[in-house]
C-alpha cells in the first residue's frame, strides 16, 4: 500500500533522513520507533507533503505521491500531526468538518460524524466547544477523530501518546486498534516503545536518519539488546 | 445637528469598514499588512471611469466591470507578487515591502496611462436628499450604506456558514494544519484576495461617487488599517466596528471641533487603543488569528 524507497531529506545543511525504505501493507499496523531527533516526524512530513525529500520515492497504491498536502489527503492518507494541532478558534464540530474537507459525500460525512461520536463520546458532548479549550487528552481524541473524518485508507500518527496520562494512552491505543481492525492501515511514530511494540504488527527502528532494524513486534519485544541500545530502558 | 453628523459618519465609516474587512481577511490569513489594498480600490474606481467615459457603457455595467476587475487585480497581485515570497519561508516583512512596491506601481501606472487629474463620474446618482425628522439623508449615502450592509452581511454568512468560510477560518488559524487536513491553501488564499478585491472595487466606486477619482485615492486604506487595529487585527467584525467607529468619530470631530483635527483624533484613538487594549476592541488572543 505505502512504499517508501531510499528516502533522503534535509533541512538546509542538516540531514534528517539518509536513505530509508519502508513499507506498510493493506490493513497493517506498523510502528516507527526511535530516539528524539531520529527523523521520525520528518518521515511523516515527507509522506504527507509538508516537507520535500531531497531524494527517493514515496508511492501509495502503486502511484507516486504528489507531495501536495491536500492531494495526499485525497489519495487516502490522513496525518494526525505531532502536538495534535487542533485549530483552537474552531469548535470541535468544525475541526471534524475540516477533517472531512476533501469529501463531497455529505451523507457519508454525516454518518462518519456519528461514528466518531460513538467512538469518542466526549467529543459528541463537546461539539460546540472551541477546540482550544479541550484538555490535552480530549484534544488528542479530537486529532484522531479528525484524521478519521477523511475516511483514510492509511492513517499516519505522530506520537499520539505524548503528554497523556497512562490511562488515556491506553484508551487512545485501544481506539487505534479498533480503527485498524475496521480496515484502516496505521503507521505510528512513538516514543512509548513498549506500548507501540505490544500494539503494532511490525516495527522499524529509526536512529539518526537510518533504519537500524526492522521486524515483527513479537520478535523485537524480546530483543533486549535492541531495547537497551536504541530505546533505553 | 449631532444626529446629522452621526449619519454622515456612518456613511463614511461604512466605506472604511468595507475596505477594512478585506484588509483584515488578508491579514488573518497571511499575517501581513497589504498596503496595496487601497490601491486596488483606486484601480476599481478607474476601471469604472474608463468603462464609462471611453467605453460608453451604462454606469451599472461600468460598476460590474470595476468590481470584477478589482477582484482580478487583487488575485493577480497574490499570484505575481506575494505567492513566491510566501512559499519561500521569507519573513512577513518581505510581503509588506512587496505590497508597498505594488502600491506605488499601481499608482504610477494610472498616472501614466490616465493622468494625475481629479476626475468624477458626473451626475450618475441624483444629488437629492431625503429629509427625515430634521436629518437630511443623501440618496448616495443611503445607497452606500445599504449596499455595504448587504455586502458585509453576505460576507459574514459566507465566512461563518459555508464550507468556503470553514476553509478560510481553518487556514487563517493554522495554514500548515489546514493543508494536511485537505484544504488547498493556495487556492483559498487566491479566493480571499479575489473577495477582498471585489470589496475594494465596490468601495473605490462608492468613494469616486462621493468625492473624486485620483491616483492616490487609495491612501484611504490607511484609515482602514487603523480601523483594523482599533477593532482587532485579523478580526473581520472588529474591522467593521473599527471602520464605523472611526467614520463617526471623524464626522463628529469635523462637525463640532475642527475638520483640521479629524486625522489627529483618529491617530489619537489608535494610540489609545494600542496602549489600553493592544489586541483591539474585538481582538482575540494572539495565538488564534481566526
Ligand atoms: N524545521 C526544521 N529545521 C531544521 N532542522 C529540523 C527541522 N525539523 C527537524 N529538524 C532536524 O531534523 C532532525 C530530525 O527531526 P525530527 O523532527 O524528524 O525528529 P523526531 O524523530 O521526530 O524527534 P522527536 O522524537 O523529538 O519528535 C533533527 O536533528 C532536527 O533537529
Ligand atoms: Mg517528532
Amino acid at each position: 500500500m505505502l512504499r517508501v524507497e531510499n528516502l533522503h531529506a534535509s533541512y538546509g545543511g542538516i540531514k534528517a533522513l539518509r536513505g530509508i525504505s519502508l513499507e506498510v501493507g493493506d490493513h497493517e499496523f506498523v510502528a516507527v520507533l526511535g530516539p528524539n531527533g531520529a527523523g521520525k516526524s520528518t518521515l511523516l512530513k515527507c509522506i504527507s507533503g509538508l516537507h520535500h525529500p531531497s531524494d527517493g520515492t514515496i508511492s501509495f497504491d502503486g502511484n507516486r505521491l504528489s507531495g501536495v498536502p491536500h492531494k495526499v489527503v485525497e489519495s487516502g492518507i490522513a496525518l494526525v500531526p505531532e502536538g495534535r494541532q487542533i485549530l483552537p478558534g474552531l469548535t470541535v464540530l468544525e475541526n471534524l468538518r475540516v477533517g472531512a474537507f476533501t469529501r463531497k459525500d455529505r451523507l457519508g460525512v454525516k454518518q462518519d460524524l456519528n461514528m466518531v461520536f460513538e467512538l469518542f463520546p466526549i467529543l459528541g458532548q463537546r461539539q460546540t466547544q472551541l477546540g482550544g479549550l479541550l484538555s490535552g487528552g480530549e484534544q488528542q481524541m479530537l486529532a484522531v477523530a479528525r484524521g478519521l473524518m477523511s475516511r483514510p485508507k492509511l492513517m499516519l500518527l505522530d506520537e499520539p501518546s505524548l503528554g497523556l496520562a497512562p490511562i488515556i494512552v491506553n484508551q487512545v491505543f485501544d481506539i487505534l486498534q479498533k480503527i485498524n481492525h475496521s480496515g484502516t492501515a496505521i503507521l505510528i511514530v512513538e516514543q512509548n516503545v513498549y506500548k507501540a511494540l505490544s500494539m503494532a504488527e511490525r516495527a522499524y527502528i529509526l536512529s539518526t536518519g537510518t533504519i537500524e532494524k526492522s521486524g515483527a513486534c513479537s520478535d523485537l519485544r524480546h530483543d533486549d539488546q535492541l531495547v537497551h541500545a536504541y530505546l533505553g530502558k | 445637528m449631532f444626529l446629522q453628523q452621526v449619519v454622515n459618519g456612518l456613511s463614511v465609516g461604512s466605506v472604511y469598514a468595507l475596505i477594512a474587512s478585506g484588509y483584515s481577511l488578508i491579514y488573518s490569513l497571511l499575517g501581513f499588512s497589504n498596503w496595496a489594498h487601497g490601491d486596488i480600490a483606486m484601480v476599481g474606481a478607474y476601471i469604472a471611469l474608463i468603462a464609462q467615459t471611453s467605453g460608453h457603457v451604462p454606469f451599472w455595467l461600468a460598476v460590474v466591470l470595476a468590481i470584477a476587475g478589482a477582484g482580478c487585480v487583487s488575485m493577480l497581485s497574490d499570484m505575481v507578487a506575494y505567492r513566491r515570497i510566501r512559499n519561500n519561508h521569507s519573513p512577513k516583512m518581505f510581503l509588506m515591502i512587496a505590497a508597498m512596491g505594488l502600491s506605488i506601481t499601481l499608482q504610477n501606472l494610472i498616472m501614466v496611462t490616465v493622468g494625475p487629474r481629479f476626475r468624477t463620474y458626473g451626475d450618475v446618482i441624483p444629488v437629492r436628499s431625503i429629509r427625515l425628522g430634521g436629518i437630511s439623508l443623501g440618496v448616495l449615502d443611503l445607497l452606500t450604506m445599504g449596499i455595504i450592509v448587504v455586502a458585509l452581511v453576505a460576507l459574514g454568512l459566507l465566512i461563518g456558514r459555508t464550507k468556503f468560510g470553514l476553509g478560510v477560518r481553518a487556514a487563517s488559524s493554522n495554514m500548515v494544519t489546514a493543508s494536511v487536513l485537505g484544504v488547498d491553501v493556495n487556492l483559498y488564499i487566491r479566493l480571499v484576495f479575489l473577495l477582498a478585491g471585489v470589496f475594494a472595487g465596490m468601495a473605490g466606486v462608492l468613494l469616486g461617487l462621493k468625492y473624486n477619482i485620483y491616483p492616490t485615492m487609495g491612501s484611504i486604506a490607511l484609515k482602514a488599517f487603523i480601523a483594523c487595529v482599533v477593532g482587532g487585527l485579523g478580526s473581520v467584525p472588529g474591522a467593521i466596528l473599527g471602520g464605523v467607529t472611526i467614520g463617526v468619530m471623524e464626522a463628529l470631530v469635523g462637525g463640532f471641533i475642527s475638520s483640521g483635527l479629524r486625522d489627529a483624533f483618529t491617530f489619537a484613538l489608535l494610540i489609545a487603543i494600542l496602549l489600553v487594549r493592544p489586541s483591539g476592541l474585538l481582538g482575540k488572543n494572539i495565538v488564534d488569528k481566526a
Side-chain angles (χ1 to χ4, degrees):
Chain A
M1 171 177 249
L2 178 78
R3 183 191 290 270
V4 174
E5 274 168 308
N6 189 34
L7 194 69
H8 288 261
S10 50
Y11 298 95
I14 306 163
K15 282 191 174 274
L17 296 177
R18 307 157 187 263
I20 70 164
S21 301
L22 61 81
E23 249 177 89
V24 181
D26 285 354
H27 313 308
E28 232 188 342
F29 195 138
V30 176
V32 174
L33 311 171
N36 291 116
K40 307 180 298 292
S41 298
T42 304
L43 167 67
L44 296 192
K45 282 184 196 163
C46 287
I47 298 171
S48 46
L50 288 180
H51 188 75
H52 295 291
S54 41
D55 197 10
T57 58
I58 305 171
S59 56
F60 186 63
D61 282 344
N63 305 313
R64 258 185 97 141
L65 280 177
S66 60
V68 181
H70 72 271
K71 290 191 179 154
V72 173
V73 180
E74 261 167 39
S75 67
I77 300 178
L79 172 69
V80 179
E82 192 170 23
R84 321 187 235 283
Q85 305 299 340
I86 296 306
L87 301 168
L90 271 57
T91 64
V92 168
L93 185 61
E94 285 171 338
N95 266 280
L96 292 170
R97 286 201 181 281
V98 179
F101 213 77
T102 52
R103 292 174 60 177
K104 306 214 158 46
D105 55 326
R106 280 163 160 255
L107 207 69
V109 171
K110 215 167 188 175
Q111 285 168 359
D112 284 0
L113 276 174
N114 288 331
M115 181 268 294
V116 298
F117 290 148
E118 235 165 78
L119 212 50
F120 304 97
I122 186 76
L123 297 181
Q125 294 158 26
R126 300 284 162 87
Q127 282 181 55
T128 56
Q129 186 170 321
L130 291 183
L133 300 179
L134 296 180
S135 75
E138 289 162 355
Q139 287 194 358
Q140 189 61 61
M141 310 271 179
L142 178 55
V144 174
R146 192 176 62 180
L148 281 175
M149 288 305 296
S150 66
R151 205 176 265 188
K153 290 183 259 183
L154 169 66
M155 212 165 171
L156 311 173
L157 296 111
D158 199 341
E159 303 205 30
S161 72
L162 198 72
L164 301 185
I167 181 159
I168 309 287
V169 173
N170 287 338
Q171 267 179 38
V172 170
F173 271 94
D174 285 346
I175 285 169
L176 291 181
Q177 200 145 52
K178 252 194 225 172
I179 292 168
N180 180 239
H181 285 159
S182 70
T184 307
I186 288 183
L187 179 62
I188 187 173
V189 158
E190 258 301 338
Q191 298 224 29
N192 191 332
V193 173
Y194 295 98
K195 197 75 205 169
L197 285 178
S198 67
M199 285 288 168
E201 296 154 55
R202 285 190 308 116
Y204 294 87
I205 314 296
L206 194 60
S207 176
T208 56
T210 49
I211 290 187
E212 296 280 335
K213 202 159 208 164
S214 65
C217 289
S218 46
D219 298 338
L220 291 174
R221 259 200 307 269
H222 301 109
D223 191 335
D224 279 347
Q225 186 203 348
L226 171 122
V227 169
H228 220 81
Y230 294 114
L231 311 167
K233 200 137 192 172
Chain B
M1 181 61 184
F2 177 78
L3 267 180
Q4 180 69 56
Q5 292 299 354
V6 170
V7 171
N8 294 348
L10 284 176
S11 165
V12 181
S14 64
V15 179
Y16 291 161
L18 193 60
I19 298 181
S21 62
Y23 191 98
S24 173
L25 270 179
I26 293 174
Y27 184 89
S28 77
L29 213 51
L30 298 179
F32 85 105
S33 216
N34 184 13
W35 289 117
H37 191 57
D39 300 286
I40 303 287
M42 179 271 294
V43 168
Y46 272 97
I47 292 174
L49 181 74
I50 292 165
Q52 182 202 30
T53 55
S54 308
H56 305 293
V57 303
F59 193 67
W60 67 264
L61 183 57
V63 173
V64 171
L65 290 173
I67 290 172
C72 291
V73 172
S74 176
M75 190 164 74
L76 277 174
S77 72
D78 173 57
M79 291 159 76
V80 174
Y82 308 135
R83 187 175 172 162
R84 277 165 204 237
I85 304 176
R86 275 196 276 116
N87 294 343
N88 254 347
H89 305 286
S90 301
K92 301 272 190 226
M93 180 64 87
F94 289 15
L95 286 168
M96 215 169 88
I97 292 166
M100 288 173 175
L102 184 67
S103 163
I104 295 168
T105 307
L106 291 175
Q107 288 174 19
N108 288 352
L109 203 68
I110 295 292
M111 269 192 226
V112 169
T113 55
V114 189
R117 274 193 311 126
F118 278 49
R119 307 284 295 269
T120 67
Y121 296 121
D123 311 323
V124 282
I125 307 278
V127 278
R128 275 188 297 114
S129 50
I130 298 160
R131 293 206 70 82
L132 220 146
I135 307 171
S136 111
L137 298 163
V139 170
L140 178 61
D141 287 337
L142 280 177
L143 201 65
T144 300
M145 288 189 277
I147 290 172
I148 292 175
V149 166
V150 170
L152 293 178
V153 168
L155 177 67
L157 293 175
L158 187 67
I159 299 296
R161 300 278 171 84
T162 65
K163 184 167 174 179
F164 169 78
L166 183 64
V168 171
R169 284 183 292 138
S172 64
S173 178
N174 188 328
M175 195 87 74
V176 172
T177 305
S179 76
V180 285
L181 293 175
V183 180
D184 182 350
V185 289
N186 275 317
L187 173 70
Y188 272 70
I189 290 170
R190 230 172 294 153
L191 292 174
V192 163
F193 269 95
L194 176 69
L195 186 63
V198 160
F199 276 35
M202 263 196 251
V205 173
L206 290 169
L207 284 171
L209 281 168
K210 194 166 166 68
Y211 307 109
N212 291 295
I213 304 150
Y214 53 100
T216 53
M217 65 188 280
S219 60
I220 192 169
L222 182 61
K223 296 286 172 60
F225 173 65
I226 297 173
C228 287
V229 176
V230 167
L233 260 177
S235 151
V236 173
I240 296 169
L241 179 67
V244 172
T245 306
I246 290 177
V248 171
M249 197 184 74
E250 283 186 355
L252 291 178
V253 171
F256 294 104
I257 304 174
S258 154
S259 58
L261 286 178
R262 272 195 328 221
D263 289 357
F265 270 79
T266 305
F267 282 100
L269 174 69
L270 172 68
I271 291 166
I273 288 281
L274 288 177
L275 289 176
V276 178
R277 204 180 148 83
S279 59
L281 296 173
L282 299 183
K284 294 170 211 155
N285 51 7
I286 314 297
V287 185
D288 178 33
K289 305 182 274 101

